[in-house]
Amino acid sequence: MGGNKKPDKPVQKEQGLERTDNGLPLTSWPEPSIINQKNYYTEYIKRDDQILPLRLIQEERRARLTTQHRERDRARNLDTNIADAEEIDDEAEEDAIGGQQDQEFSSGDDVIIIHPGSQNLRVGFASDILPKTVPMVIARQWRCNEHEERNGIVVPSRVTDKDGTEVKPRHMFGDQFASHYDKLCSALKTQMRQNKRKVLPNSKELVVNFNDRVSPETINEHNDPHRVDWVELPNDPKQAPAFICGEAVFRIPDESKPRYKLFWPLRYGVYNEDDYDSKHQLFEDFTTIIEQALLNELGIKKRSAFKNYGCIFVVPDLHDRAYITQCMDMIMRELNFDRLILIQESLAATIGSGNSGGCYVDIGAQKTSVCCVEDGICIPDSRVNVKIGGADVTEMFIKMMLFDHFPYRDINLMRRYDFLLAEELKHKFCTMKEDEISVQLYTFHLRAPYQTTKKYQFKTYDEVFLATQGLINPTIFDKSRKMRGRRKLIDPSMDLSDDFRNDPVSEAQSLIVTSLLPGNNTDINSNAANSTSGTHAATNGLDGNFSQKRQLPAKHAFNLVKSAEPNLAVRDSPAIEGDGTPIPAASGEESTPEGLAPCLRDDVLPIVGLDAAILTSILGAVKQDEKKFRDYLKAIAVVGGGIKTPGLDLAVELALLKWRPGADIRIIPPSKEIDPQVVVWKGASVQARVKTTNEYWISQDEWDRLGSRVLHHKCMWSW
């Protein structure tokens, strides 16, 4: 007890423990009173002047108002026309109340539109009628060209076996391809007979026998009016350019000294991580292609002049955040543009086609995107992105022609002049019109560097039709190389607060991904066809592409993505192909159970036909509203290079009618006055000249201060 006794006051004073009170507060900071929890209010982030992007807009408006007042006062002091002074005063008052009635459109001379794609880049001033189109590729000095590096194995140049023996055309692509091709030919014959079309019993034999006997005709250079001027390189390799951009890359001889290799920064609508070993080199090539296109095609003399222009950058509807932020960083810091606006492809297509909304299908070279637009807004849950396009048609057409003894058997799409030849043959001869299927005789010219021109004759039959049918039945397309190397260099965007993927998601895209999982019974076609009408009259699939499966509500299918087995999602390599075939994980690779739904976006290859993509997109937009479903079916617009295939609109309409018999389906044709390939670019150029888009401009100062956070306030869609 004695040990717990407090010391008396003298002892406390001696030990320095005596309490003293001099009346001074412990701190000079004001002490806030306790908040009454029953009634309190705050204005934090509730006023526009507390948000930097909105405050800058107000400051710019006030600065413009001040300038107009000064001009009014100057006009009055100089005794100029009173009417002019009153006009200036009226404009100032209109701006004071937030109006901008002086002019609805601007000229667009100081705005550049950039629309990058997997195969082509389109750039131009907003005041231009049409954009400049350049290939989205760069040729760099390399140890070997792309054909030598891959040994010609990729499509389709294997004419000899490993032991040197000649491979017969029928076995050039394996027995599985031969069996599948024979089934397609037989099904087409049956379909043509049902449609009362004349079918010759020996049409295929006529084509094969003729092509097998053809020998090329040699044409001297002075008799060839369309001879190619190949790129001449200096004799000294050290004086050769480090890189070449534009159309000239396809005119570089494959055997050039030094060697050049073609690099494509974008493939299948995303960054091409497979062909690059460095993320820095990938971004540098992407920037260089755009920079050289601006300098060479638009007449801008110096890179430093970019600061005098604004830029409107067209982005995919369903995109990666990492792609958007990198593109913005390139435009604002690398190219140093003065200001920037982002616009989605479907919204730009809506404006370019002059419609207020509808279901827009953009068929590109390597991807097809579908999105429903209503009142100038892209409906988020309707966004669909499938990895098929015109390049798949080109590859399949050449394969089928080689199968039928194409006389130029050494064709290889990895060679530059062969790639241009294949594209030319596809554009000239491929069709989706059934009444054009017959034995036809055509010619083409092979122009290779350091060789005389050769003229070939060849015959076609059903190849021109079956190759394009892959857009409806994509099971015939090769899926072995698509999305290879995904996430090898660039990590997905992660949320800073909860460390989860924050890339945009779409219910329609998730429904497609779910339907492709092994063991899933979801048929997205039957689901889209029956969900709004309530009927369960399922069909047997389209040309064998889909089998009859049970109906699954869209919401349930969307939730299945989150509950799928974790071992199906493997980072860095596609775990599942579009036909539902799982690829086993390599040893040492780990599955990613957390955040599985976003990971499946990288691991499941989304490949379905155009009819399935359109129906699923509309289903995601309308939910269970039957009236809206019918309205979108009557407003389907197809843009992009794929629509140039003859008969594609009718083929898509017939495919949709198989799932919605008797429905009023209308494919809106593009305007005859504009190329469907540039509809998206044209829409962005119109948007650039509308004054109401001023609030979406992102300035250099905003990007330096806030970075990608500014998109929450300056984006045309929900970021």
Side-chain angles (χ1 to χ4, degrees), residues 55 88 122 190 262 297 379 515 535 605 663 681 686 708 719:
R55 186 167 68 248
I88 295 175
R122 292 180 174 87
T190 303
L262 303 189
E297 301 294 335
I379 302 177
S515 69
T535 178
L605 187 59
W681 184 94
V686 173
S708 60
W719 179 258

Side-chain angles (χ1 to χ4, degrees), residues 458-611:
F458 70 103
K459 285 187 176 182
T460 65
Y461 178 52
D462 53 6
E463 309 89 352
V464 295
F465 179 82
L466 292 177
T468 56
Q469 284 297 305
L471 296 175
I472 307 297
N473 180 12
T475 56
I476 65 176
F477 288 154
D478 182 15
K479 301 177 287 293
S480 60
R481 302 182 313 277
K482 294 178 182 289
M483 307 299 287
R484 185 174 57 187
R486 182 74 166 140
R487 299 301 178 193
K488 184 180 74 173
L489 301 176
I490 304 173
D491 294 328
S493 176
M494 307 296 293
D495 190 273
L496 297 178
S497 58
D498 52 15
D499 197 29
F500 276 97
R501 289 276 297 273
N502 59 3
D503 287 326
V505 295
S506 165
E507 183 172 336
Q509 184 77 1
S510 299
L511 183 59
I512 289 177
V513 170
T514 304
S515 69
L516 299 175
L517 292 175
N520 194 349
N521 294 324
T522 307
D523 188 337
I524 55 178
N525 293 64
S526 298
N527 186 25
N530 302 327
S531 60
T532 56
S533 60
T535 178
H536 294 273
T539 56
N540 291 326
L542 178 61
D543 298 333
N545 188 19
F546 298 102
S547 59
Q548 182 174 353
K549 302 175 181 178
R550 66 179 176 88
Q551 182 184 358
L552 188 68
K555 182 178 295 186
H556 188 191
F558 181 67
N559 292 333
L560 273 181
V561 182
K562 299 181 181 180
S563 61
E565 296 181 8
N567 58 2
L568 296 178
V570 181
R571 184 78 53 91
D572 297 335
S573 63
I576 305 164
E577 293 188 352
D579 56 359
T581 304
I583 300 177
S587 60
E589 288 185 326
E590 297 181 357
S591 60
T592 56
E594 290 86 10
L596 182 63
C599 290
L600 284 176
R601 178 169 166 179
D602 295 330
D603 298 330
V604 179
L605 187 59
I607 293 185
V608 294
L610 291 181
D611 54 339

Side-chain angles (χ1 to χ4, degrees), residues 183-199 432-435 437 461 465-466 469 472-473 542-544 650-651 654-655 658:
K183 291 180 180 178
L184 291 176
C185 295
S186 300
L188 179 60
K189 286 183 179 179
T190 303
Q191 178 179 333
M192 293 179 65
R193 290 193 180 100
Q194 292 176 350
N195 295 336
K196 309 300 182 181
R197 300 192 184 279
K198 184 177 181 180
V199 180
M432 297 189 80
K433 294 182 177 180
E434 189 178 299
D435 56 353
I437 301 177
Y461 178 52
F465 179 82
L466 292 177
Q469 284 297 305
I472 307 297
N473 180 12
L542 178 61
D543 298 333
L650 180 60
L654 293 176
K658 291 184 178 181

